[in-house]
Amino acid sequence: MGFWTPASLYLAVGAPALAALFAPLLVRWLGGATGWLLALVPAGVLVLLLGGLEPVAGGQALRAGFDWIPSLGLRLSFALDGLSLLFSLTIAAVGTLVVLYSGAYLKGHPHQGRFFAFILLFMAAMLGVVLADSTLALFTFWELTSVTSFLLIGFDHRRQAARRAAIQALVITNIGGLALLVGAVLLWQAAGSWELGTLAQSGLQQHPLYGAILACILLAAFTKSAQFPFHFWLPNAMEAPTPVSAFLHSATMVQAGVYLLARMSPSLGGTTAWTTLLIVFGGLTLLWGAFGALRQIDLKQMLAQSTIASLGLLVLLIGIGNEAAISGMVIYFLAHACYKAGLFMVAGAVDHGTGTRNLSVLGGLADQMPVSFIGASLAALSMIGLPLTLGFFGKEEMYLALMGLRPEALLVLAVLILGNALLAGLALLVMIKPFLGPLLPTPKSPHEAPVAMLAGPILLGGAAIVAAMTVEWFGPNIVVPAAATILGEATNSHLHLAIDFRSPLLWLSVLTWALGILVYWQASTIRTVLRRGGRAMGWTADTVFDWAMFGLIRVAGLVTRRLHHGRLEIYLVVVFAALALVLLVPVLGMGGLAALWPSGQFGNWPASLTPAALHLHEWAVIALAIGGLVAVLVASSRLVAILALGIQGTAVALLYLLFGAPDLSFTQFMVEVLSVVILTLVMTRLRLDERDHRPLGEALRDGAVALACGIGVSLTLLVVLTGTLDPKLGEFFTATSVPLAHGHNIVNVILVDYRGFDTLGEISVLMATGIAILALIRGRAAAGAGEQGRPRPQPKVALEGEA
């Protein structure tokens, strides 16, 4: 196992997060050299994860974790198996080059330190997603990727387009996040565990909740990985700086949905619903993204749309689900991460060197930017899938997966060939159009990008070729462990560095290349036709999102105006009316009265509360309460009503005394006295003690609500008293009051220990109320003093000659 330890997984997730805390300070101290230093963090994570390569390749799953919330059986657990190793190595490798690239791309930017912090936090969250071995931990890191991507997409927050794109991405991905949370809870209900490693043996495909679980997982994956019809947020996210596009939108965030589907494949895959939905939506997304890319002339937009297509291709391959398809998915994932991150970096270098990304005004840059041209060529060759590139092996595997004579297999094969051909034509456009041909005038004099911006395209493009050249080692050590994890069974590698001219797979690749050349040749015509079709449609998913958000805001404004109108008396009426419904509906509509009057008689009515059982002094307390109620109703002013309420409070205190709770009675009496005194002082000081002139309709309404609440509380308590009292809680307080809380007064122990936070909240409310009352009194006093000190206006004296 080399130098790998369980702590390595904690360090892999924690190191980028820790580096993010110090990134702004490092930028202030080191300036332009910060990118080189911070790049050592993901590079160290890469080396750390490579320590687990040997045991993982041998079929082991390395795990680490600790109890998170033991009472709920929750653990914060991590696992390094073939699938998580594949994704985490890719994240760390591409992240190293992106951090290095960012140091040069944003050199001199006033918020470069903030950017480094955001992208390192995102890296930590993404590593947490792929290394998490618990569904709730996966959800937690999943949401962190949404938050940090929002910060990165909206980094240039002064531009309205960037803010809109960030909000759109956050809304769409958070819909999926909520679905993932629901799915995690349903998985726990169905499998009885939060751990991902135990789900495959739970027989979820036959569980009654399978349909709901599948819907939640697919919604989460489709929103995150920009599958149709949730694809539209990804092109708009190109408002982010180029390093963000190279990282988030090639190998990390948009691949989180693909990772989720791959991780859940052993547990949820193999059913007709799984296969059909993934193939249909994946194929539709592949073609939609490929054609959408050909409509664009902005380099980043072309690459963004092609990313949608590639994500659809990966989802389609997971849906096919056989050994060849999964092997092709693993290889294509790595090939896509290498060439797409490299092409995004080249697009940023072209923008940096020429001042534009518009393909129609670029040309002949190979002489001025030779290294960028080499990087673009290496990436494009892998995207086309030519021999001796990783993309070639991925294409061969995905075609192998559909070798058969079934009509549906031939249809899916045709979709794959067409999608790959469109992507190949796009790769030729990105490689040839900006760099070959005559040099065209650009906003800036063309010049090569700094070394830190060129390292990424060259190293990633070279890595794809090296992986292809060493495919005999690459297959058993990288592809097989990942494919075995997705398939849930052992598999073998059949990749060899050889070209079989008799194989139909090669000729399918040749057909793909030929169609790709045709697409490149007719790119202008295709673009024109697609744009005319888009204009004829008149609307897009993006405009539907805008309409939905506009409608949501309008409805929210309407609800706010209706419910939050500022009239306190209406708030109170609504609250107490709802309370009355909550109390009366169970009693009157769910058989509560039958417990009191089973045969129309007193029945289960508590014997101590029957009229014959009441003593004279108890009748006196009841009469006092009734007298206080009448006094409140006939009160001529608010001040008199407050004093009358004191009578009610005194009656309640006497009831506590009669039932053997003198301490509670004393507390009630003191609170009542203080309340009456304070309210009286406030009312008189604020001059609110005048007569209450409420219309008769409002008075009847308020009286009816109050009567309903009183009847509801009384009936609910009577129904409760007819049941059997469970003494467990009282026995627990009695038994633990002294040994745990060190108090002999059980009531006090309950208030300050067992209900300590509740009591603290009540005290806080009272304190806030007191402060508010004090502010009102002082404000009224200051206003009164101002009125007294203001000079009275003098009558105007008419001057002689004035009319």
Side-chain angles (χ1 to χ4, degrees), residues 678-730:
I678 292 174
L679 287 174
T680 301
L681 290 174
V682 171
M683 297 293 283
T684 55
R685 189 68 179 268
L686 296 180
R687 302 175 185 175
L688 298 176
D689 54 338
E690 68 274 7
R691 185 176 181 82
D692 187 7
H693 300 284
R694 282 188 299 172
L696 178 61
E698 291 186 7
L700 293 175
R701 176 201 66 195
D702 297 344
V705 171
L707 186 62
C709 287
I711 293 174
V713 171
S714 300
L715 290 178
T716 300
L717 290 176
L718 289 173
V719 171
V720 169
L721 290 175
T722 61
T724 302
L725 180 64
D726 188 348
K728 291 181 180 178
L729 190 59

Side-chain angles (χ1 to χ4, degrees), residues 34-297:
T34 307
W36 293 90
L37 180 62
L38 289 177
L40 295 176
V41 176
V45 172
L46 177 63
V47 173
L48 200 63
L49 292 171
L50 285 173
L53 179 59
E54 181 180 350
V56 170
Q60 298 184 42
L62 310 177
R63 303 184 186 277
F66 56 87
D67 290 335
W68 187 4
I69 307 177
S71 59
L72 299 178
L74 296 179
R75 285 175 53 82
L76 183 59
S77 53
F78 300 95
L80 188 68
D81 55 18
L83 181 61
S84 57
L85 180 65
L86 170 73
F87 275 80
S88 58
L89 287 177
T90 306
I91 294 166
V94 176
T96 300
L97 298 174
V98 166
V99 171
L100 188 63
Y101 184 94
S102 303
Y105 186 85
L106 294 173
K107 184 177 180 180
H109 195 286
H111 302 303
Q112 189 183 38
R114 181 189 302 171
F115 179 86
F116 277 130
F118 291 164
I119 206 160
L120 287 168
L121 281 174
F122 171 82
M123 188 185 304
M126 195 63 210
L127 286 168
V129 167
V130 300
L131 293 174
D133 195 33
S134 163
T135 51
L136 285 186
L138 172 65
F139 164 75
T140 302
F141 288 114
W142 184 283
E143 289 299 276
L144 286 175
T145 62
S146 296
V147 173
T148 49
S149 67
F150 166 79
L151 298 173
L152 287 167
I153 295 170
F155 178 71
D156 189 3
H157 57 273
R158 292 179 296 274
R159 294 190 301 111
Q160 192 273 338
R163 297 194 301 271
R164 177 185 178 276
I167 292 173
Q168 186 181 72
L170 184 67
V171 170
I172 297 300
T173 55
N174 270 3
I175 291 173
L178 291 175
L180 179 60
L181 177 60
V182 175
V185 175
L186 293 177
L187 283 169
W188 173 75
Q189 289 183 335
S193 174
W194 299 105
E195 300 299 305
L196 290 169
T198 63
L199 295 180
Q201 293 79 34
S202 302
L204 294 174
Q205 289 91 338
Q206 291 78 37
H207 198 278
L209 291 176
Y210 175 78
I213 295 172
L214 179 62
C216 291
I217 296 301
L218 292 188
L219 181 58
F222 284 7
T223 52
K224 203 74 162 185
S225 288
Q227 298 298 290
F228 185 90
F230 305 105
H231 61 283
F232 53 89
W233 70 265
L234 181 54
N236 293 330
M238 295 303 107
E239 296 294 337
T242 298
V244 176
S245 303
F247 193 38
L248 273 68
H249 306 136
S250 63
T252 52
M253 176 180 167
V254 293
Q255 299 287 0
V258 174
Y259 170 81
L260 180 63
L261 294 175
R263 177 60 69 186
M264 292 297 175
S265 183
S267 306
L268 303 178
T271 65
T272 301
W274 172 274
T275 302
T276 303
L277 290 172
L278 293 193
I279 290 178
V280 170
F281 281 96
L284 182 59
T285 304
L286 167 61
L287 297 181
W288 187 280
F291 281 115
L294 292 172
R295 290 184 56 194
Q296 308 298 325
I297 58 174

Side-chain angles (χ1 to χ4, degrees), residues 51-52 61 110 175 198 674 731 747 781:
I175 291 173
T198 63
L674 288 174
E731 293 172 354
V747 174

Side-chain angles (χ1 to χ4, degrees), residues 58 95 143 154 171 192 224 266 271 469 472 522 554 593 645 648 650 658 666 670 686 706 765 773:
E143 289 299 276
V171 170
K224 203 74 162 185
T271 65
M469 297 290 290
E472 282 83 0
Q522 298 296 323
R554 291 294 298 270
L593 289 180
L645 281 176
Q648 295 288 95
T650 303
L658 292 177
F666 178 75
M670 294 301 298
L686 296 180
V765 170
I773 292 172

Side-chain angles (χ1 to χ4, degrees), residues 319-339:
I320 295 173
N322 57 35
E323 182 177 336
I326 297 302
S327 296
M329 172 261 163
V330 171
I331 298 171
Y332 187 78
F333 164 77
L334 282 171
H336 176 263
C338 291
Y339 75 67

Side-chain angles (χ1 to χ4, degrees), residues 411-432:
L411 178 61
V412 177
L413 180 61
V415 170
L416 278 178
I417 293 173
L418 178 58
N420 282 324
L422 294 171
L423 292 176
L426 183 73
L428 291 173
L429 281 173
V430 175
M431 179 180 67
I432 295 174

